[in-house]
Amino acid sequence: MVQYAKARLDASFAALSDATRRGVLEQLGRADASITDLAEKFHMTLTGMKKHVGVLEQAGLVTTEKVGRVRTCKLGLRGLEEEAAWIERYRQVWDARFDELDKIVEELKRKEKVDGRKKRE
Amino acid sequence: MVQYAKARLDASFAALSDATRRGVLEQLGRADASITDLAEKFHMTLTGMKKHVGVLEQAGLVTTEKVGRVRTCKLGLRGLEEEAAWIERYRQVWDARFDELDKIVEELKRKEKVDGRKKRE
DNA sequence: TACATACTGAACCGAATGGTTCAGTATGCG
DNA sequence: CGCATACTGAACCATTCGGTTCAGTATGTA
């Protein structure tokens, strides 16, 4: 369904909207970690951290595997390709929109016979 | 405060985690719009849409100006530079992480070949 | 002046979030 | 066996979210 990608963006952006979860991703970028490791690092209960990991896992950003007593968390198979793509596309639209504005400003300036240098980098 | 940038990422990723709001951003990329315009386009009440616009405005992604009865919404001065940067940084870490894995796999494959040769010898 | 339009704000609603505690279960280890 | 570790699940809690209705206010227009 078309809804699928949309729901995925919902989930991943929501996952990224929490500082703790962004921190967990950065941490897992450095090394795999158990729930206990992460809970300690971020000063919260095991249960609390497990929920965060659940959110990240649901969003496909983290995978976990339990061996013995220990559940090890690592970065998921999915990168943030779709999210990066959405943002990139948006940035293009945004740039275009302001280029348009710049053009209008340029036009006005030229009409005023003012030698205007580009304002926006 | 240092917390500022963090809170901003919180706000903008949260803003992006809703399909309606992403739609509003895309729409405003095409043309400025009133609250009424947007409410109609996304099939919800004025009040509901105003809340969404409020979230986007709070995140700095949209600006609005009221002239007469009409509040016009347009893309904000902020693009998604910080968000893009965060994701890009993450993607690099992610890539590095999997390159590492690839190397390990390569290493294993090489050893297997060597072992295989040894056995055959 | 009268009426329609466009928004605003308060109040409410059910569901989701981010966290906790507490009471398990499963596992490792001496 | 007996105890510590590591997680799990249910229940609870306050807050936020996404949406509504309803009752305004302000503005444009005939």
Side-chain angles (χ1 to χ4, degrees), chain A residues 55-100:
Chain A
V55 171
L56 288 165
E57 206 171 358
Q58 204 67 14
L61 303 177
V62 158
T63 57
T64 74
E65 191 194 5
K66 191 164 185 177
V67 174
R69 292 181 293 185
V70 180
R71 178 171 299 278
T72 300
C73 310
K74 50 189 76 179
L75 292 188
L77 287 178
R78 253 189 87 226
L80 288 170
E81 299 89 11
E82 284 179 42
E83 295 70 19
W86 193 94
I87 289 190
E88 207 38 56
R89 196 159 55 83
Y90 172 78
R91 276 164 58 68
Q92 282 171 20
V93 170
W94 187 85
D95 280 346
R97 198 93 187 110
F98 280 94
D99 280 356
E100 228 173 87

Side-chain angles (χ1 to χ4, degrees), chain A residues 4-117:
Chain A
Y4 197 61
K6 201 174 69 176
R8 184 138 88 189
L9 281 184
D10 282 16
S12 44
F13 280 132
L16 294 179
S17 75
D18 183 276
T20 300
R21 283 190 299 258
R22 288 196 303 276
V24 167
L25 287 182
E26 289 180 348
Q27 188 56 39
L28 294 182
R30 286 192 278 279
D32 297 349
S34 69
I35 305 278
T36 299
D37 292 342
L38 295 171
E40 272 169 15
K41 182 92 66 179
F42 293 91
H43 313 104
M44 70 175 62
T45 58
L46 268 184
T47 313
M49 181 50 72
K50 203 184 164 242
K51 283 192 184 181
H52 280 304
V53 169
V55 171
L56 288 165
E57 206 171 358
Q58 204 67 14
L61 303 177
V62 158
T63 57
T64 74
E65 191 194 5
K66 191 164 185 177
V67 174
R69 292 181 293 185
V70 180
R71 178 171 299 278
T72 300
C73 310
K74 50 189 76 179
L75 292 188
L77 287 178
R78 253 189 87 226
L80 288 170
E81 299 89 11
E82 284 179 42
E83 295 70 19
W86 193 94
I87 289 190
E88 207 38 56
R89 196 159 55 83
Y90 172 78
R91 276 164 58 68
Q92 282 171 20
V93 170
W94 187 85
D95 280 346
R97 198 93 187 110
F98 280 94
D99 280 356
E100 228 173 87
L101 267 190
D102 278 354
K103 263 183 222 155
I104 291 167
V105 171
E106 282 303 303
E107 193 69 14
L108 287 176
K109 278 185 179 171
R110 210 180 335 134
K111 275 179 185 163
E112 283 171 12
K113 219 186 79 177
V114 171
D115 184 357
R117 282 278 159 189

Side-chain angles (χ1 to χ4, degrees), chain B residues 3-118:
Chain B
Q3 299 295 81
Y4 197 63
K6 200 175 68 176
R8 185 137 88 190
L9 281 185
D10 282 17
S12 45
F13 280 133
L16 293 179
S17 76
D18 183 276
T20 299
R21 285 192 296 260
R22 288 196 305 276
V24 167
L25 286 182
E26 288 179 348
Q27 188 56 40
L28 293 182
R30 287 191 279 277
D32 297 348
S34 69
I35 305 279
T36 300
D37 291 343
L38 295 171
E40 274 170 12
K41 183 92 65 178
F42 292 92
H43 312 105
M44 70 177 61
T45 59
L46 269 185
T47 313
M49 181 49 73
K50 201 181 165 245
K51 284 192 183 179
H52 281 304
V53 169
V55 171
L56 289 166
E57 208 172 355
Q58 205 69 14
L61 303 177
V62 158
T63 58
T64 72
E65 191 193 4
K66 191 165 184 177
V67 175
R69 292 181 293 186
V70 180
R71 178 172 297 278
T72 300
C73 311
K74 53 189 75 179
L75 291 188
L77 286 178
R78 255 188 86 224
L80 290 170
E81 300 87 11
E82 284 179 43
E83 296 70 19
W86 194 93
I87 288 189
E88 206 38 56
R89 195 160 55 82
Y90 173 77
R91 275 164 58 68
Q92 281 172 20
V93 170
W94 188 84
D95 281 346
R97 200 90 186 112
F98 279 92
D99 281 356
E100 227 175 89
L101 266 191
D102 279 354
K103 262 182 223 156
I104 292 168
V105 171
E106 281 305 300
E107 192 68 13
L108 286 177
K109 276 185 182 169
R110 204 169 52 82
K111 275 182 185 161
E112 257 173 38
K113 268 185 198 162
V114 170
D115 284 352
R117 258 183 250 129
K118 274 182 186 167

